[in-house]
Structures are given as C-alpha cells and as structure tokens.
Amino acid sequence: MGFEKFLFYVFSLILVLASVGVITVRNPVRAALFLVLAFFTSAALWLLIEAEFLAITLVLVYVGAVMVLFLFVIMMLDINVAPVQEGFTKYLPFGVAVALIIVVEMGLMVSSSYFGGDRYSLVSHAADYSNTKELGSVLYTFYVYPFEIASVILLVAIIAAISLTMRRREGTKSQNPSRQVRVSRDDRLRIVRMAAEKNK
Amino acid sequence: METLLTVILILLKIVVLLVPLLVGVAYLTFAERKIIGYMQVRLGPNRVGPKGWLQPIADAVKLMFKEIIIPSRANRFLFVLAPMLSFGPAIAAWAVIPFGDGMMISHLDAGLLYLLALTSLGVYGVIIAGWASNSKYAFLGAMRSAAQIVAYEIAMGFALVGVLMAAGSLNLNQIVQAQQGSLLHWFWLPLLPLFVVYFISGVAETNRAPFDVAEGESEIVAGFHVEYSGMAFAVFFLAEYANMILVAALAATLFLGGWLSPFEGIPVLGELFAWVPGALWLVLKIAFMLLFFLWFRATFPRYRYDQIMRLGWKVFIPVTLVWLLVVGLGVLAHVGPWFD
C-alpha cells in the first residue's frame, strides 16, 4: 500500500495546487492550462482506484476535446483583466457567503452517514476484470431508459446549438464543390473563330 | 524487492522499445528525403557517409549545437514545455501496441481508448507553442491545427469504434487475435471505408501534407514552430515523425493484422514463412503504411482550409456513421468469416 499511498498524495497535491492556480492566475490562458492539469491529475487519481475506463474517458473528453475548444476561444479573445477586477471588493461579501455555503454543504454531505468513507470501501479486482465491460453491461441493461433519455436530451441540445448559431450570410464566396465538379467545358469556354489580323 | 524488479523490468522493456523507435524516427527523415528525391528524379542526400546514410546523425549533431532562441515577451516556461508536450504522447502511446502475442508493455484493457486519449493530447504541444511564442504566424498555425485536429479526431474515433465492434474488445492484443485466419480475415476488408477514413484522418492529425496547414511554410512561414530553433525545433520534428510511425503502427495493428503473417492460411507459403517473428511482419506493415505518408507528400498539393473542414465534417463523419451501421448489422447477422 505504501507506494500507492505515496502516489495518491503526490497527485492530490498537484490537483490541489492546479485548482488553486485556476482561480488565482491572472492570465485566462494559464488558468485554462491549470484546469487541464487538474483534469489530468484527477484522471490519474481515478486510475489509482482502478476506474481506468472513466479515467481515460475523462482525459479523452475533457482534456482532449473540451479544453482544446476552450483554449481555442480564450486565446482568440483579448480579455482585459483590469475592468474585471474593478468590482472585486464590491462583490467580495457575496462571494464569501457563497463559498461558505458551499463549504458547509460539502461538509454535511461528506460527514453524513450516507456518504462516509467507511461506507464505500475500495473494491479491488483481479487483473482480468474488465471495467469497460462491466460499465457497458449495466448501462445498456439496468439503466437503459435513463441512458436513452440522456442521449435524446443531448441530441436536442446539439440541434438547438446548431440552429441558434447558424446564420446564412449574404455575399460569402463559399463554393459548392459538387457544382464545381459537374462543370463541363461548354459551361465556361467559348471558342470564337476570327480572322487572322495582319500586323503592319 | 519484488516491486523494484518489476520496475527495472518495465524500464528495460521501455528502453528496448524506445531505442529502435528513435532510430526509426531518425531514419524515417532520411527515407523521406531519399524517397521523395527519387520520386522527383533527384538523388536526395548523398554526401554524409556511404550513400548519405549518416545524414540523420549529422542533422542531429547540427541541431544540438544550435542556439535555442526564446523570443522577447514569450512565455518562457510554456515555450520550453510545448515541444515536450507534443513528443511525450507520441512515445507514451506505444505502451499498448503489441509486437507479438502478448508482447506489449501494458496489457491495458481499454487500450484503444488510451490511444485515442493520448493522440488527442498531442494538440496541446501545437496550441501552447503557438500561443507562447508571442508571434502572429505561430498563433495562426496553432489556431488552424486546433480546429483541424478536433474535426478529424471525431472521424478517427468513429473509425476505431468500428474496429472495436468487429473485434469485440478494446485490448489491442485481442483485436489482432480477432483477425487471425488469413489475409482476408484482417479487418481492412470488412472495414475498408473505415480503414481509408482512419488513415486519412491520421495523416491530418499528424499535420502532414496534404493537410499541413498548421505548418504551411508558403503561407504562414512554418506555423506553430516558426520561433523555435535548435533542439527545441528538433523535438517538434521528432514528434511529427514519431506520430507518423504511431499512426502507421495503429493502421497495421487494427486493420492489417498486426503481427500476423500475411501468408497465414495459404498451404505451402504459410509453413514456409512460419518461422518469421511477428514483430518483423509488424515492422514491414508499418513501413508499408509509412510509404503512403511520403507518397502523399510528394504527390498532393496542400488542401485549402475550408476544404479540409468540409472533408472532415461532411464526408468522413457521415461515411463512418453509415459503415458503423453496416458493421453492426454484420455483427448481428454473424457474417463470416469476420463477425462470427
């Protein structure tokens, strides 16, 4: 257990530092990169409790796709930090109140008898235990209706997002490749017969 | 004591894998220059050593002694970190590639997912390099590459979903075992559209010609690594070639039967070549796929950016979706000899 415990503390330390970095660093791009580090380290923590499917999916979805798009947008925006910080003292009491409520709620949750650490002891499995298979067999049998409903909601969200952002602009020079391919010589070329001119 | 032995054994395996890989990367650059040279009726590099064979070593020595210049007002830490971020995943992905039955560093159950996750990390090297260089050209390159990689990763992921449906496993060892039988049992045949989509997406993902808009030396000078010099540039260069070898190795493992012999199941030839180690077949298949990378570069002009996006979103993703349906029906109906 010694080495695993050591790894756990190393990853936890990195995770906590990265999370603190996300909210303290001034530059938004660096904050996003700290968030990437936080995701990556929490994936490592999940690996320690043998949840390798979830860990890899976390990296794949959040680090590999979501944060890339996030960075993409943040890098394009030229965020001026000064006006954002102006209202800091004004909103400080409100912020502190929200933070306190969250801390109290979390404390109640974690310390309650339903969510105690002793209720969820770590189950370790043999080497040939397939995390992916187990998840799949539960997801597609026992939870099949919630799963389907969730996917329909996601589909609706996708279509809504596309229809909200799609606009046809006039005057763009975008091409229609199938029309371009179908063009034949007669559409574009006119052969003109003309008498040769004499150059004096 | 036992833990220490395991760690040493794993380290030894990594060294045994990495040394040939890095030599392969070095000589792939040489092969590229030679092959493209011959395709264009030139000789290619032929001065250093016999027939130019020491050229990659000369290049490495030259790059090592060059100065690394960090641009003014660049983010020093991220600037230095970016090349490593693009090289690391390309190397780490090799942990799950089998060179023979069970000959892999990590018997990861979700091997295919691990590969997808790692190949999607490589883009951070490009994005961070573009942002940290404090240069317009580098930034443009990073933006282009981010959009391109996100687009092609989806098609690539769908192509891999087809493979895992056909094999019924995410473990690469089992995927290769599912292709056992003969050359016609390999997945390239039932998954031909996915194979083509996967390989072209792989070319796009590695930012190679004709999808090399992130570099675009004739438009944005060298894209994301325009500000890099010396070893920092060399690491980007190595990452690109290591990624090429990785994509080729994955194509060979997932669609071309990995370590399996192509003569398997043929009466006389099968026994004649039975002694050849599986790793050799894998290397030959990787070399075969790598040739396509070089061939593409010598043949096609660079894609226009909107056409790249169109190909990725409007052609590849629908093609993979349709073929996933076909594979699903095939698996349901147990269409032999692949899905039974």
Side-chain angles (χ1 to χ4, degrees):
Chain A
M1 196 58 206
F3 186 58
E4 264 173 48
K5 210 163 209 171
F6 170 72
L7 280 182
F8 172 78
Y9 282 118
V10 169
F11 286 132
S12 313
L13 185 70
I14 297 174
L15 179 56
V16 170
L17 288 182
S19 319
V20 171
V22 174
I23 51 172
T24 52
V25 158
R26 300 206 162 184
N27 190 322
V29 173
R30 282 195 209 174
L33 288 174
F34 267 120
L35 192 56
V36 170
L37 183 61
F39 280 137
F40 202 78
T41 343
S42 28
L45 281 178
W46 286 4
L47 270 185
L48 280 183
I49 54 169
E50 300 183 7
E52 76 261 10
F53 181 82
L54 287 178
I56 296 172
T57 319
L58 179 71
V59 172
L60 180 60
V61 174
Y62 281 91
V63 180
V66 173
M67 288 314 290
V68 171
L69 291 177
F70 228 83
L71 272 176
F72 190 88
V73 175
I74 292 177
M75 282 178 177
M76 305 273 263
L77 300 172
D78 191 20
I79 300 173
N80 198 352
V81 191
V84 178
Q85 286 172 335
E86 264 172 15
F88 184 71
T89 44
K90 203 167 101 192
Y91 297 118
L92 189 63
F94 187 67
V96 169
V98 169
L100 272 179
I101 292 172
I102 291 177
V103 166
V104 169
E105 279 178 350
M106 288 280 280
L108 285 176
M109 269 271 282
V110 174
S111 65
S112 76
S113 57
Y114 296 107
F115 204 70
D118 47 341
R119 275 184 85 90
Y120 298 94
S121 56
L122 186 61
V123 191
S124 56
H125 298 281
D128 60 340
Y129 175 79
S130 174
N131 215 303
T132 320
K133 213 170 249 170
E134 292 300 316
L135 260 176
S137 63
V138 177
L139 197 61
Y140 290 103
T141 54
F142 190 68
Y143 292 112
V144 67
Y145 290 122
F147 178 72
E148 301 264 299
I149 292 169
S151 45
V152 169
I153 292 174
L154 277 176
L155 185 67
V156 170
I158 291 170
I159 295 170
I162 292 172
S163 61
L164 279 178
T165 52
M166 195 161 91
R167 48 173 196 266
R168 297 222 175 272
R169 270 191 302 161
E170 294 297 317
T172 57
K173 291 183 178 167
S174 70
Q175 293 141 325
N176 183 347
S178 60
R179 231 181 66 205
Q180 287 179 322
V181 170
R182 268 184 282 137
V183 157
S184 67
R185 193 193 66 174
D186 298 333
D187 298 339
R188 299 213 168 145
L189 189 73
R190 190 162 55 97
I191 295 176
V192 185
R193 185 179 297 275
M194 56 189 290
E197 286 178 43
K198 259 187 205 154
N199 208 351
K200 279 177 192 170
Chain B
M1 189 60 210
E2 209 163 300
T3 343
L4 194 70
L5 267 178
T6 327
V7 169
I8 290 173
L9 194 67
I10 292 173
L11 284 179
L12 266 179
K13 280 183 188 169
I14 293 173
V15 170
V16 168
L17 177 70
L18 272 193
V19 170
L21 179 65
L22 290 180
V23 172
V25 166
Y27 275 89
L28 179 58
T29 64
F30 178 66
E32 173 168 43
R33 294 169 69 180
K34 271 287 186 194
I35 289 171
I36 293 181
Y38 286 128
M39 283 179 180
Q40 296 168 345
V41 207
R42 300 182 281 115
L43 283 178
N46 63 350
R47 294 289 127 173
V48 190
K51 302 244 173 203
W53 274 93
L54 297 179
Q55 183 69 42
I57 295 161
D59 286 341
V61 171
K62 181 195 82 173
L63 283 169
M64 258 181 247
F65 287 103
K66 271 191 159 182
E67 185 189 356
I68 297 176
I69 299 162
I70 296 179
S72 64
R73 301 205 57 203
N75 190 322
R76 279 185 86 92
F77 176 70
L78 290 179
F79 187 81
V80 177
L81 186 73
M84 301 175 204
L85 275 182
S86 75
F87 193 47
I91 296 293
W94 283 86
V96 292
I97 303 227
F99 286 86
D101 198 356
M103 273 171 65
M104 56 223 272
I105 292 176
S106 168
H107 286 266
L108 196 58
D109 184 56
L112 207 56
L113 260 185
Y114 169 82
L115 279 170
L116 260 181
L118 274 187
T119 45
S120 66
L121 287 184
V123 64
Y124 278 100
V126 175
I127 295 184
I128 292 176
W131 185 76
S133 309
N134 189 29
S135 152
K136 293 278 186 295
Y137 289 121
F139 189 61
L140 279 174
M143 289 289 106
R144 284 178 174 201
S145 127
Q148 177 184 331
I149 287 180
V150 167
Y152 278 84
E153 213 160 66
I154 299 171
M156 201 176 199
F158 277 141
L160 296 187
V161 167
V163 173
L164 83 93
M165 277 166 76
S169 172
L170 279 169
N171 184 309
L172 272 86
N173 202 45
Q174 286 167 18
I175 289 175
V176 175
Q177 277 168 353
Q179 302 179 53
Q180 214 141 32
S182 72
L183 198 120
L184 299 178
H185 283 71
W186 297 353
F187 284 156
W188 66 270
L189 190 57
L191 306 179
L192 189 61
L194 298 184
F195 179 37
V196 173
V197 167
Y198 171 77
F199 192 64
I200 296 177
S201 305
V203 175
E205 194 112 319
T206 47
N207 285 325
R208 290 284 302 178
F211 302 102
D212 56 343
V213 287
E215 240 179 276
E217 67 270 13
S218 51
E219 309 153 18
I220 50 171
V221 285
F224 62 95
H225 59 52
V226 62
E227 303 292 348
Y228 283 83
S229 60
M231 261 335 260
F233 165 74
V235 173
F236 268 123
F237 198 65
L238 289 179
E240 181 180 330
Y241 284 82
N243 269 319
M244 277 165 67
I245 300 182
L246 178 69
V247 168
L250 278 178
T253 309
L254 302 175
F255 296 98
L256 296 180
W259 72 78
L260 299 174
S261 155
F263 300 114
E264 206 181 353
I266 302 173
V268 183
L269 279 172
E271 284 107 58
L272 217 60
F273 283 94
W275 57 272
V276 180
L280 187 65
W281 288 126
L282 183 66
V283 168
L284 283 178
K285 287 169 188 172
I286 293 174
F288 174 72
M289 294 314 295
L290 281 174
L291 181 65
F292 280 99
F293 273 100
L294 311 184
W295 198 356
F296 287 165
R297 183 167 176 197
T299 309
F300 297 122
R302 187 176 302 130
Y303 256 85
R304 215 177 53 206
Y305 192 72
D306 60 312
Q307 288 174 338
I308 291 184
M309 284 296 140
R310 186 178 161 274
L311 184 73
W313 289 104
K314 292 191 179 171
V315 179
F316 281 174
I317 292 178
V319 164
T320 50
L321 284 177
V322 167
W323 207 254
L324 281 186
L325 194 71
V326 173
V327 173
L329 290 176
V331 172
L332 263 185
H334 295 291
V335 177
W338 312 289
F339 303 130
D340 42 28

